[in-house]
Amino acid sequence: MPTKRVTSHDVARQAGVSRATVSLVLNRSESVVIAKETRERVLRAAGELGYKPNSAARMLVSGQSETIGLIVSDPSILLVDQFVTQVLYGVETANRQLGLHVLVAGLESDGPGSTYDDLVESRRIDGLIVLNPKAGDAALISLIEKDFPLVLVGSVRHPREVAVTFATRPALMKAVDHVVGLGHRRVGAITFSPRSFIATEARLAALEAGLRAHGLALDADAIEIGDFSPESGHCAGLALLSRRPDVTAIFAGNDTIAIGVLSAAHALGRTVPQDLSLVGFDDLPFAPWLTPALTTIRTDGVHQGQIATQMLFERLNGRSPAVPRVRLEPDFIVRASTGSAKP
Amino acid sequence: MPTKRVTSHDVARQAGVSRATVSLVLNRSESVVIAKETRERVLRAAGELGYKPNSAARMLVSGQSETIGLIVSDPSILLVDQFVTQVLYGVETANRQLGLHVLVAGLESDGPGSTYDDLVESRRIDGLIVLNPKAGDAALISLIEKDFPLVLVGSVRHPREVAVTFATRPALMKAVDHVVGLGHRRVGAITFSPRSFIATEARLAALEAGLRAHGLALDADAIEIGDFSPESGHCAGLALLSRRPDVTAIFAGNDTIAIGVLSAAHALGRTVPQDLSLVGFDDLPFAPWLTPALTTIRTDGVHQGQIATQMLFERLNGRSPAVPRVRLEPDFIVRASTGSAKP
DNA sequence: ATTTCTAACTGACACGTGTTAGTAAGCGTC
DNA sequence: GACGCTTACTAACACGTGTCAGTTAGAAAT
């Protein structure tokens, strides 16, 4: 790019006005201080020269970068589970609509954790959205307590956090009602992460509560721990069904794990839903097209990303969001992977 | 964030030196112009005050943003097909390792297309990686011809483009050998996009060439056009198998479409691989865990993203990449979705 | 004619950094 | 002691923009 940059100075010269006037015309949209004729001359000059303000200079003087950071915890989850991508898409589109740029940064759980400071202290971003935040993340807590404009997609259970989460309990209750209504009595679960993660614990608790309402229990040896991936679903499914062959219904931590469970069931000679009922979580785009089509709980990740963006936008404009913690309600979707328990 | 920013001026005062010295100490890592004792005093002061240079000021004076743009054409593909996410992950990790930031921007095909200029002309980014570039994208061509540091993940067939693509022909040949070797004679294909897309056309051509080498043809009415999604795979599969029930093997444009084809086959009462053989494309993480496990062609999207980053890095440092067009070689992976044709 | 007022524009500063030309000090050399 | 040379540091400029306080010109009022 050997081309010379066009500055506001060039525009001013071409329009026969001062640089200050150019700036006023281009920024103060409806202020009447500028004569109509002058305004038009400036706009024409800017157009002809193809003037685009230098973002760095503008950032420097205004203190704003018009950019938000999107931190993805454990980015390798992106590789295996499509849900994170749904949120990312929601965040990107919503910000584009608002005229904001999105800087994506992965945060390795074993890394230095300085990623936040790199972005925040250097004033490279105005606000932050954090995907899958970890409760023990000290740097993150510190930012929350400094009141830095930050929205969590997930939760670290901090009293002052601003977050978008899912109220999974109602949908899980419906799912349990459905499964128990089909006659299942021995139910298993495969989580997408260790119980220490807030979302995992909350979902297991909801599941247990739901079963308890029907006089049933979620046995400790009917729980397996996965890691988001189909492979982990397969392994956990094999382990669970081998240890507890009497289990007739499994709740998977997400749809991706459910794929692996389907494969495990098949490997063990059990047909879904005749010999085993399976419930997924998320309703990813492939869920209706698995064989059998997956009964699942629909969490709208795109929407979650959009809401997070909207809340961050409020904070960036100095307004504290009307509701600091938004809880979205997932739907329960019945398809073909759940069926009557054998008598 | 009511906290006052720490500037290099503060560091200078605390260390008892001039601001210039601070800058020299922090930037000229191994230049010996600074006395060891002074250097240490400055570093200590910077550490104590928690000094982080303001990125905007640095960008302004250096003309570099240490940020690259990642343009995702038709971002909604992200939602349905996991392959794009693999590349994104590769790009993000590689750039993080190089100390560069990544700005992600979706480019709607029907949009104004000004996304490039927004980023480039405002000097917000130093270089660009474009995912799934469109051959007809005038703004993109213009950047290529201006020699802007830009790497394509894909191709627009421009003589001066710098790109990372896949040489799909050898792997597709192997796949055809495999399928024909199993006795299949009537083969169908479902693409992930209209033939006008370069990759689609190239893969169909390779497929046709492979079949021709065996004295077979890819009939026009045995080709269906999909759109990356499992749903499109399902619909295309239904259409193809209804119109040409004699087809015994199908090549899917990607693994995601293959999911839909599996479901279509099932809906029509055909079992894979007994009644129908299926070959996917990409080897996404779920491919081994579908039922049956998917025979497919492995394209390493993460690697592709890393290579693209590396090539862009070369360009940013003024070196033109050793090989302007890297072609990666996919592997052919045989699993359980392909089997002997019925006699 | 002088003052006051308004509309329309401009001069000059600030933002925080990287860098180059330049200075001051120390030291040896003739 | 004048001179040159090296070492270690600093003053000052440049980057391109947003934004006031201030200036000019013309009209209106006194």
Side-chain angles (χ1 to χ4, degrees), chain B residues 60-76:
Chain B
L60 182 56
V61 65
S62 74
Q64 312 231 301
S65 61
E66 296 184 331
T67 303
I68 68 138
L70 177 62
I71 301 263
V72 182
S73 298
D74 287 324
S76 61

Side-chain angles (χ1 to χ4, degrees), chain B residues 198-219:
Chain B
I198 288 173
T200 298
E201 178 58 31
R203 293 191 195 175
L204 277 180
L207 201 53
E208 280 163 347
L211 289 169
R212 207 176 312 120
H214 289 278
L216 301 173
L218 182 61
D219 301 337

Side-chain angles (χ1 to χ4, degrees), chain A residues 17-18 20-21 33-35 38 60:
Chain A
V17 295
S18 79
T21 307
V33 208
I34 305 289
T38 308
L60 183 55

Side-chain angles (χ1 to χ4, degrees), chain A residues 146-186:
Chain A
K146 274 193 241 171
D147 258 337
F148 182 80
L150 181 152
V151 176
L152 303 179
V153 174
S155 168
V156 294
R157 288 255 170 82
H158 189 284
R160 284 166 58 197
E161 74 185 16
V162 174
V164 195
T165 54
F166 285 104
T168 53
R169 204 175 195 103
L172 269 171
M173 290 300 211
K174 274 189 230 167
V176 170
D177 290 349
H178 166 75
V179 167
V180 174
L182 287 170
H184 297 277
R185 293 295 172 265
R186 290 168 307 280

Side-chain angles (χ1 to χ4, degrees), chain B residues 84-285:
Chain B
V84 186
T85 309
Q86 313 278 312
V87 182
L88 191 150
Y89 175 84
V91 170
E92 196 279 329
T93 50
N95 275 279
R96 181 144 39 88
Q97 218 157 354
L98 292 171
L100 296 175
H101 300 268
V102 179
L103 207 60
V104 173
L107 179 64
E108 307 289 352
S109 57
D110 52 353
S114 68
T115 306
Y116 298 112
D117 278 1
D118 275 5
L119 298 176
V120 172
E121 296 296 328
S122 70
R123 283 283 192 274
R124 205 176 273 275
I125 56 171
D126 298 337
L128 211 46
I129 292 179
V130 181
L131 254 58
N132 295 335
K134 300 280 181 60
D137 190 334
L140 178 59
I141 305 288
S142 156
L143 279 180
I144 292 175
E145 295 182 342
K146 273 193 240 170
D147 258 338
F148 182 80
L150 181 154
V151 176
L152 303 180
V153 173
S155 168
V156 295
R157 289 254 169 84
H158 189 284
R160 285 165 59 197
E161 74 186 14
V162 173
V164 195
T165 54
F166 286 104
T168 53
R169 203 176 195 105
L172 269 171
M173 289 299 211
K174 277 189 229 168
V176 170
D177 290 348
H178 166 75
V179 167
V180 173
L182 287 169
H184 296 276
R185 293 294 174 265
R186 291 169 306 280
V187 172
I190 298 173
T191 69
F192 57 68
S193 71
R195 280 189 89 127
S196 56
F197 284 77
I198 288 173
T200 298
E201 178 58 31
R203 293 191 195 175
L204 277 180
L207 201 53
E208 280 163 347
L211 289 169
R212 207 176 312 120
H214 289 278
L216 301 173
L218 182 61
D219 301 337
D221 65 350
I223 301 176
E224 278 283 329
I225 294 169
D227 67 0
F228 293 94
S229 73
E231 179 171 11
S232 78
H234 180 84
C235 297
L238 284 181
L240 175 50
L241 290 172
S242 304
R243 190 172 56 236
R244 288 289 304 269
D246 60 315
V247 162
T248 61
I250 291 181
F251 284 79
N254 63 31
D255 289 353
T256 306
I257 284 175
I259 291 181
V261 178
L262 279 176
S263 136
H266 190 255
L268 293 173
R270 295 178 69 159
T271 308
V272 178
Q274 289 82 355
D275 307 324
L276 180 72
S277 282
L278 180 61
V279 179
F281 208 107
D282 285 343
D283 194 27
L284 293 179

Side-chain angles (χ1 to χ4, degrees), chain A residues 42-58:
Chain A
V42 169
L43 290 175
R44 184 146 28 84
E48 284 171 7
L49 295 173
Y51 170 65
K52 291 271 162 46
N54 180 302
S55 62
R58 192 189 270 235

